[in-house]
């Protein structure tokens, strides 16, 4: 196969250019179709009856009243699932499609009504008779781990289809999963350290809020199933639906229109099993379109309690760290085990430790399930570890940036045993975010600056396939299973194919996933699309190029080495032939097409994918804040980030990723918090009282620097981006606030919390600061 | 219970019955097929269901269809093809201010309503005026840049 670097005469037609998004015009015209815009013939509307109790036995459930209503076609309950194994969950198979005998969180689906209109379905819910026998609630990690706590899950642990967690031990109490590692002698390192900083910290439950709520249409037709869904990982959804309903993979078709945002909330399997089960009962297509309050209890970010201590020498050498954390995964595991392991891996931070000990626990509670949200794990712990590094520097009278310079891992150094070494210039990255906020410059009272850096294992499991088709008119279509959820994947995939084929990217079309036609792609998450799926697209385009050059060499009667490509044509021997002419020449007349295949896999595939992770995403950011000491109000004045992307396929889209991630970082750090009461009831389940950032929260300055060191394993040396800043910025903000005089151990940084801390420091500070 | 209404939607007359409790959002989406009107928060916070009623932006999720009787309704579908849509689309494309696109129609309609009605010379004023339209993808910076470009071009004080 012709390698790109060997392709003679290649010109830069697409990669590195901020080309127009392929979906921009349709979206600006309101024409882009989301799942909720589709109406298969005879579609019914689903409404879900949800549990008002956090933990209860279902005593009595009678749906006859609803069934008798005009326009109601069918009602689904747990009794309808007796012919299948009704439990799912990609990590742990712990969740029933609909409640069976018991509910474990407020909002758990107990029954579904399918009716000819949404209004009839909604109204019919009131006609369902249900009574509960309440059980003891454990609405927090502390309650779930207390002696005598109610057991939330009975029976043995059942591994899910895609858990990737090795051998799973037996369940102990409400511990869903535990992860940990230890290196060196932490006890002696702490005994001999010059400085030890320690504390207990809390991170809140956060709602991803993709503006399009979870929406699924399913049609169970007996022998096959079609699902249209706002899902990030269609192939994993297909796998779980196939397993649940006992149909072969090729009898389950998952179609993904545009997504109105995802951010992890639409990863893995969410509303699909319930919708398929409802359609199976009704015998017609059924749509379930969540309201926001329903999506809030479908998935969220884990809240967490963490104890951490860090030891350093008198010269600022970081020597040891001990961490124990408890992540609240709610009633079902969802992606909790992976989130927990990733948080554990992120806890040491990218420094040269002599000793470390990390324990991370994923804990069941009777609250709504937690799963993936952009930069999970790292966002949870980076602010804690990085605030301890800052505190060490303060106590030793050292510059906080200098301490990092001296301790950060260098390129190639080991992050943890068995994992890929550092594949970026960490010192260079943090210096850039520091410079962007004028590190070291004098500033007014109550202002502070902070920086932070961390590593996020990115790429997930590197399996992606792609097909590139060159039609008889010279147009190119890319089939790749990456989901367009707003990040610009279709644009970038098109640019990669266009670059390889020497075309303008406008000649390339990238269509949405239909698992019946689109080649396999593991998932859209962990910043993997450009790197992994993009590599498969590059390979597939090279495959097409190979066929083009083969035909051209034959027709033009010159050696392949003498051919050049450009402008949709191949030239050689003084003659030029367009791709259109070459395809026609190869097949005769105006038919046929050239089809290229690309494949990325851990072993036997292209280089760079054998060791995990695929790459380390650098979570680096800087912030300047001002605190009003009378009110506790903190203002983020400016932010900085570095997108360390190896090679920028589309620089403008990378900046947008960092800006969007930065605003989510501000939301996570400053005010977003799902509040559950002791009964497990979510108190702020509308956007009236769960606030996300608005135009008025945009900092006066947001600087994003793109670093291109060509060190990624993806196409053209690229690696992914878009998540790092969400882990990096809350940490930088916490550090900036501590620099301004207020050291916080709990997020979000609400005025009340900050004001209370200011009062506390005023009482104790004189002693501690001497 | 239903009511008879007469309204102009995107330049076309609608004369017919709507349910008394029918939301404008559902009427536009489900009856007229105007899918550019998006549903999200349902509590008049996110702005993704914004449409113009007699030129003023309203949240169609909290507005009854019967209340547009005798009024003019404009959705993104009606905006397409107008000079304003061409101009603001170019600005949004130039700044890559569209990501998932779910909020985009509502943003454009609020911007249309703001043209010439508010003092839009300062970014602070624009931020405040646009705060009823949420976006979770972009971080707003690119949308602000695109909007300021369009508003500046139409600012009479800068002519």
């Amino acid at each position: 196969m012709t390698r790109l670097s060997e392709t003679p005469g290649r010109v830069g037609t697409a990669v590195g250019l901020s080309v127009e998004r392929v979906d921009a015009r349709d979206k600006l015209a309101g024409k882009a179709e989301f799942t909720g815009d589709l109406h298969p013939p005879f579609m019914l509307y689903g409404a879900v009856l949800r549990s008002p109790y956090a933990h209860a036995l279902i005593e009595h459930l009678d749906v006859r009243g609803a069934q008798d209503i005009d326009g109601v076609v069918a009602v689904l309950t747990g009794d309808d699932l007796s012919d299948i194994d009704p439990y799912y969950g990609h990590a742990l198979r712990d969740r029933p499609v609909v409640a069976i005998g018991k509910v474990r969180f407020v909002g758990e689906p107990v029954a579904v009504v399918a009716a000819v209109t949404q209004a009839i379905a909604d109204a019919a819910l009131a006609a369902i008779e249900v009574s509960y026998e309440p059980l003891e609630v454990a609405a927090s990690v502390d309650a779930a781990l207390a002696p005598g706590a109610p057991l939330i899950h009975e029976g043995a642990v059942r591994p899910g289809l895609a858990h990737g967690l090795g051998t799973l031990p037996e369940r102990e109490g409400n511990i869903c999963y535990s992860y940990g590692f230890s290196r060196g002698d932490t006890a002696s390192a702490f005994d001999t350290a010059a400085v030890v900083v320690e504390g207990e910290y809390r991170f809140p439950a956060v709602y991803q809020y993709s503006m399009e709520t979870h929406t699924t249409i399913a049609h169970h037709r007996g022998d096959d199933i079609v699902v249209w869904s706002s899902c990030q990982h269609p192939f994993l959804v297909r796998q779980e639906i196939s397993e649940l309903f006992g149909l072969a993979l090729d009898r389950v078709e998952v179609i993904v229109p545009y997504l109105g945002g995802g951010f992890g909330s639409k990863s893995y399997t969410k509303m699909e099993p319930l919708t398929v089960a409802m359609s199976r009962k009704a015998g017609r297509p059924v749509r379930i379109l969540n309201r926001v309050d329903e999506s809030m209890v479908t998935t969220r970010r884990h809240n967490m309690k963490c104890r951490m201590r860090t030891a350093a020498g008198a010269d600022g050498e970081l020597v040891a760290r001990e961490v124990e954390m408890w992540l609240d995964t709610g009633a079902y595991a969802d992606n909790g085990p992976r989130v927990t392991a990733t948080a554990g891996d992120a806890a040491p931070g990218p420094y040269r430790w002599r000793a470390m000990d990390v324990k991370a626990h994923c804990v069941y509670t009777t609250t709504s399930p937690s799963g993936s949200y952009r930069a999970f794990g790292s966002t949870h712990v980076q602010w804690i570890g990085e605030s301890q590094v800052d505190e060490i520097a303060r106590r030793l009278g050292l510059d906080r940036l200098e301490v990092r310079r001296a301790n950060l891992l260098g390129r190639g150094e080991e992050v943890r045993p068995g994992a890929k070494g550092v594949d970026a210039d960490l010192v260079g990255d943090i210096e850039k975010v520091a410079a962007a906020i004028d590190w070291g410059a004098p500033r007014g009272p109550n202002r502070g600056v902070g920086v932070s850096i961390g590593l996020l294992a990115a790429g997930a499991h590197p399996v992606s396939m792609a097909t590139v088709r060159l039609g008889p008119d010279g147009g190119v279509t890319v089939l790749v299973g990456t989901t367009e959820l707003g990040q610009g994947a279709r644009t970038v995939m098109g640019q990669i194919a266009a670059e390889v084929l020497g075309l303008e990217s406008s000649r390339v079309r990238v269509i949405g996933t239909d698992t019946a036609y689109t080649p396999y792609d593991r998932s859209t998450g962990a910043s993997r699309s450009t790197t992994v799926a993009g590599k498969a697209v590059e390979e597939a385009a090279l495959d097409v190029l190979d066929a083009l050059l083969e035909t051209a060499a034959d027709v033009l009667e010159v050696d392949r080495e003498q051919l050049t490509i450009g402008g949709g044509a191949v030239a050689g021997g003084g003659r030029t032939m367009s791709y259109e002419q070459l395809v026609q020449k190869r097949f005769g007349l105006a038919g046929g097409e050239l089809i290229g295949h690309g494949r990325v896999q851990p072993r036997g595939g292209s280089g760079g994918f054998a060791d995990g992770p695929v790459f380390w995403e650098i979570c680096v950011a800087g912030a300047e804040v001002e605190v009003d000491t009378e009110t506790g109000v903190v203002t983020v004045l400016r932010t900085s980030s570095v997108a360390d992307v190896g090679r920028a396929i589309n620089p403008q889209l990378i900046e947008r990723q960092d800006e969007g991630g930065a605003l989510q970082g501000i939301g996570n750090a400053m005010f977003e918090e799902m509040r559950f009461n002791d009964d497990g009831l979510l108190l702020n389940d509308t956007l009236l009282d769960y606030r996300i950032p608005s135009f008025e929260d945009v900092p006066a300055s947001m600087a994003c620097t793109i670093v291109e060191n060509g060190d990624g394993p993806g196409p053209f040396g690229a690696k992914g981006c878009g998540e790092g800043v969400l882990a990096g910025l809350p940490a930088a903000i916490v550090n900036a606030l501590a620099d301004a005089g207020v050291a916080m151990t709990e997020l979000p940084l609400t005025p009340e919390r900050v004001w209370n801390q200011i009062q506390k420091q005023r009482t104790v500070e004189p002693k501690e600061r001497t | 219970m239903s009511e008879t209404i007469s309204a102009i939607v995107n330049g076309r007359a609608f004369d017919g019955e709507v349910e008394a409790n029918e939301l404008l959002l559902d009427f536009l989406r489900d009856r007229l097929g105007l899918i550019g009107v998006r549903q999200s928060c349902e509590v008049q916070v996110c702005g993704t269901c914004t449409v113009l009623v007699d030129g003023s932006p309203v949240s169609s999720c909290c507005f009854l269809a019967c209340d547009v009787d005798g009024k003019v309704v404009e959705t993104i579908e009606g905006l397409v093809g107008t000079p304003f849509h061409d101009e603001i689309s170019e600005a949004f494309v130039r700044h890559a201010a569209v990501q998932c696109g779910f909020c985009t129609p509502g943003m454009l309609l609020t911007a249309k309503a703001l043209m010439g009605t508010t003092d839009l010379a300062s970014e602070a004023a624009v931020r405040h005026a646009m705060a009823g339209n949420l976006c979770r993808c972009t971080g707003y910076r690119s949308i602000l840049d695109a909007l300021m470009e369009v508003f500046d071009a139409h600012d009479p004080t800068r002519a």
Side-chain angles (χ1 to χ4, degrees):
Chain A
M1 181 183 283
T2 309
R3 303 305 310 181
L4 187 72
S5 56
E6 298 158 11
T7 307
R10 189 180 72 83
V11 291
T13 56
V15 161
L17 305 177
S18 294
V19 304
E20 178 177 329
R21 285 183 67 109
V22 296
D23 49 0
R25 304 281 170 176
D26 275 355
K27 288 176 173 177
L28 283 157
K31 286 197 296 193
E33 285 185 341
F34 300 85
T35 303
D37 299 327
L38 307 178
H39 290 87
F42 309 109
M43 184 181 88
L44 302 173
Y45 298 81
V48 182
L49 182 75
R50 292 171 177 275
S51 167
Y53 289 96
H55 200 198
L57 298 175
I58 300 172
E59 247 177 6
H60 169 77
L61 177 58
D62 185 348
V63 300
R64 284 173 298 181
Q67 258 160 355
D68 290 344
I69 292 172
D70 251 7
V72 169
V73 174
V75 182
L76 177 84
T77 69
D79 290 344
D80 296 309
L81 305 174
S82 53
D83 61 324
I84 61 171
D85 179 349
Y87 290 86
Y88 72 101
H90 72 279
L92 302 179
R93 207 165 166 177
D94 62 357
R95 177 160 189 181
V97 171
V98 63
I100 297 174
K102 179 176 170 174
V103 290
R104 297 180 176 87
F105 68 95
V106 176
E108 176 154 16
V110 172
V112 187
V113 173
V116 294
T117 71
Q118 189 67 57
I120 293 171
D122 291 342
L125 296 180
I128 296 175
E129 285 178 23
V130 54
S131 62
Y132 300 89
E133 182 190 328
L135 299 170
E136 198 186 335
V137 170
S140 67
V141 161
D142 291 337
L145 296 180
L151 200 61
I152 299 164
H153 285 272
E154 312 79 12
V157 172
R158 301 180 63 197
L161 291 168
H163 67 87
L165 302 166
T167 310
L168 292 165
E170 287 301 302
R171 186 183 291 125
E172 279 179 51
N174 289 319
I175 297 277
C176 167
Y177 172 75
S178 283
Y179 177 81
F181 53 92
S182 192
R183 244 163 71 193
D185 182 352
T186 44
S188 77
F190 276 95
D191 286 348
T192 57
V195 186
V196 173
V197 174
E198 60 183 303
E200 183 170 307
Y201 304 80
R202 283 178 191 267
F203 185 91
V206 178
Y207 175 44
Q208 300 94 334
Y209 188 47
S210 57
M211 295 193 74
E212 176 207 28
T213 56
H214 300 90
T215 309
T216 301
I217 301 169
H219 193 187
H220 190 302
R221 301 192 288 204
D223 294 335
D224 58 26
I225 294 171
V226 187
V227 176
W228 295 261
S229 191
S230 60
C231 66
Q232 294 179 221
H233 308 345
F235 291 89
L236 295 181
V237 169
R238 180 182 66 161
Q239 195 178 0
E240 284 208 84
I241 293 296
S242 154
E243 180 80 10
L244 263 175
F245 294 95
L247 289 172
L249 279 177
D250 59 10
R251 306 303 289 182
V252 179
E253 181 178 3
V254 180
I255 301 169
V256 187
Y258 283 120
L259 262 64
F263 319 116
S265 70
K266 295 166 181 169
S267 61
Y268 301 101
T269 299
K270 294 292 184 287
M271 297 301 291
E272 294 87 357
L274 193 62
T275 317
V276 172
M278 185 68 256
S279 171
R280 189 175 83 131
K281 177 90 186 278
R284 283 166 64 172
V286 174
R287 181 185 88 180
I288 296 181
L289 189 156
N290 274 358
R291 296 187 312 266
V292 164
D293 59 327
E294 294 180 293
S295 272
M296 285 184 92
V297 297
T298 298
T299 184
R300 61 178 176 89
R301 199 201 277 288
H302 294 72
N303 50 320
M304 179 196 71
K305 180 174 91 169
C306 174
R307 289 196 195 111
M308 185 184 288
R309 61 177 189 150
T310 304
D315 57 354
E317 186 197 356
L318 300 174
V319 292
R321 177 169 280 178
E322 268 183 3
V323 190
E324 185 159 19
M325 57 187 132
W326 297 266
L327 289 91
D328 178 348
T329 207
Y332 297 104
D334 195 300
N335 205 30
R338 171 57 55 204
V339 173
T340 301
T342 301
D345 283 337
Y351 302 108
R352 277 181 220 102
W353 302 102
R354 283 191 225 159
M356 67 175 86
D357 187 72
V358 175
K359 293 186 182 74
H361 311 286
C362 183
V363 182
Y364 284 124
T365 67
T366 55
T367 62
S368 60
S370 312
S372 305
Y373 176 20
R374 202 173 189 171
F376 62 68
S378 286
T379 307
H380 287 96
V381 295
Q382 186 166 326
W383 66 282
I384 299 170
E386 286 292 89
S387 71
Q388 294 201 338
V389 171
D390 267 30
E391 183 59 24
I392 285 165
R394 259 191 298 275
R395 291 201 198 164
L396 293 170
L398 299 171
D399 177 68
R400 295 172 289 153
L401 185 58
E402 191 49 47
V403 168
R404 288 183 174 80
R405 264 195 214 104
N407 287 282
L408 277 171
L409 295 168
R411 193 181 283 277
E413 278 193 79
E414 182 181 277
V415 178
R416 64 166 190 267
K420 183 178 277 185
V422 171
D423 53 357
D425 173 16
L426 302 183
V427 171
D429 287 345
I430 200 158
E431 284 178 341
K432 284 184 183 66
V433 296
I437 52 165
D438 297 324
W439 192 260
R443 54 197 91 240
N446 300 324
R447 287 197 178 193
V449 289
V451 291
S452 88
I453 188 162
L455 298 175
L456 176 59
H461 192 59
V463 177
S464 287
M465 321 284 156
T467 300
V468 171
R469 301 163 60 175
L470 177 69
D473 65 349
V476 174
T477 302
V478 175
L479 293 173
V480 60
T482 272
T483 300
E484 174 59 69
L485 39 95
Q487 82 280 46
R490 292 195 198 175
T491 305
V492 166
M493 297 300 140
Q495 285 181 263
I496 292 165
E499 181 68 37
V500 172
L501 293 167
L503 294 167
E504 305 281 322
S505 56
S506 58
R507 284 296 279 157
V508 180
R509 186 159 178 250
V510 183
I511 56 180
T513 297
D514 178 334
T515 58
Y517 310 103
T518 313
Y520 184 87
D521 179 68
R522 187 210 176 257
S523 54
T524 303
S527 301
R528 72 190 288 286
S529 292
T530 298
T531 315
V532 184
K535 189 74 186 170
V537 170
E538 183 195 15
E539 300 273 340
L542 281 166
D543 201 13
V544 169
L545 182 63
D546 191 53
L548 275 173
L549 294 178
E550 180 188 284
T551 306
D554 192 37
V555 175
L556 298 172
E557 296 176 325
V558 293
D559 289 341
R560 280 176 63 136
E561 289 66 36
Q562 293 169 304
L563 297 170
T564 59
I565 63 163
V570 182
R575 285 194 293 161
T576 298
M577 287 192 83
S578 69
Y579 291 172
E580 188 177 345
Q581 290 169 317
L582 285 168
V583 175
Q584 293 181 14
K585 206 76 182 166
R586 189 172 175 117
F587 298 103
L589 298 176
E593 60 181 329
L594 296 177
I595 300 179
H597 300 288
R599 182 184 77 203
V600 170
Q601 59 194 52
R603 275 178 290 280
S606 357
F609 293 101
D611 304 322
V614 172
F615 65 99
W616 292 105
E617 185 164 353
I618 313 307
C619 309
V620 59
E624 180 176 12
V625 306
E626 182 168 44
V627 57
D628 182 331
T629 54
E630 296 308 308
T631 63
V633 170
V634 177
T635 307
V636 179
L637 301 170
R638 52 179 170 169
T639 67
S640 61
S641 63
V642 160
D644 191 332
V645 298
R647 172 76 185 245
I649 307 288
N650 186 319
Q652 200 178 30
L653 293 187
I654 291 166
E655 288 169 8
R656 296 299 162 272
Q657 279 300 300
D658 261 24
E659 288 163 5
L663 258 277
Q664 292 190 12
I666 287 171
N668 277 232
M670 304 301 293
F671 45 77
E672 290 188 46
E673 178 176 21
M674 295 170 74
R675 301 187 72 125
F676 293 92
N677 70 8
D678 291 343
D679 294 328
L681 184 68
L682 177 60
L683 300 175
N684 52 343
D685 67 350
T686 76
L687 283 206
L688 287 168
D689 36 22
Y690 183 91
R691 184 166 103 70
I692 69 151
S694 80
F695 275 98
E696 302 208 79
D697 297 301
V698 181
S701 159
M702 300 164 79
C704 165
T705 308
I706 297 175
V707 168
E708 295 182 88
N709 290 330
D711 46 12
F716 312 97
K719 51 186 170 176
C721 66
E723 301 197 56
V725 65
L726 179 46
L729 191 57
I733 289 171
V734 167
N735 284 351
L737 183 57
D739 187 43
V742 191
M744 298 294 295
T745 57
E746 186 170 3
L747 295 183
L749 304 172
T750 57
E752 181 186 6
R753 215 168 256 145
V754 171
W755 187 86
N756 279 326
Q757 179 64 19
I758 291 168
Q759 306 315 309
K760 207 167 110 189
Q761 286 182 190
R762 280 181 179 158
T763 321
V764 299
E765 199 157 324
K767 260 190 293 183
E768 283 199 352
R769 281 285 164 116
T770 49
Chain B
M1 201 175 74
S2 59
E3 293 196 20
T4 305
I5 65 164
S6 175
I8 305 291
V9 181
N10 294 334
R12 294 175 63 171
F14 174 87
D15 295 287
E17 295 201 332
V18 296
E19 292 300 313
N21 62 353
E22 188 170 345
L23 295 173
L24 181 58
L25 170 70
D26 297 334
F27 170 70
L28 294 171
R29 279 186 62 85
D30 299 342
R31 264 224 255 169
L32 302 188
L34 300 170
I35 61 165
V37 189
R38 311 273 182 216
Q39 172 183 325
S40 187
C41 78
E42 298 182 89
V43 287
Q44 214 173 343
V45 171
C46 76
T48 193
C49 67
T50 303
V51 300
L52 303 184
V53 175
D54 282 353
S56 297
V58 305
S59 294
S60 61
C61 70
C62 296
F63 200 98
L64 290 172
C66 59
D67 286 343
V68 300
D69 184 33
K71 294 184 162 56
V72 175
V73 180
E74 193 172 16
T75 73
I76 190 68
E77 287 86 353
L79 207 60
V80 171
T82 64
F84 173 78
H85 189 265
D86 291 347
E87 187 182 353
I88 201 162
S89 293
E90 287 308 317
F92 269 61
V93 164
R94 201 159 40 245
H95 292 280
V98 177
Q99 289 197 15
C100 84
F102 208 76
C103 72
T104 309
M107 292 275 178
L108 266 49
L109 288 157
T110 302
K112 164 90 188 297
L114 290 174
M115 290 280 288
T117 63
T118 320
D119 173 16
L120 298 171
S122 80
E123 192 184 288
V126 172
R127 286 173 185 240
H128 185 68
M130 292 295 301
N133 287 81
L134 299 178
C135 167
R136 193 59 150 166
C137 293
T138 63
Y140 300 106
R141 185 65 260 166
S142 55
I143 299 177
L144 267 173
D145 291 343
L147 291 174
M148 292 313 293
E149 205 173 284
V150 173
F151 291 152
D152 278 355
H154 291 268
D155 182 352
T157 65
R158 299 194 184 192

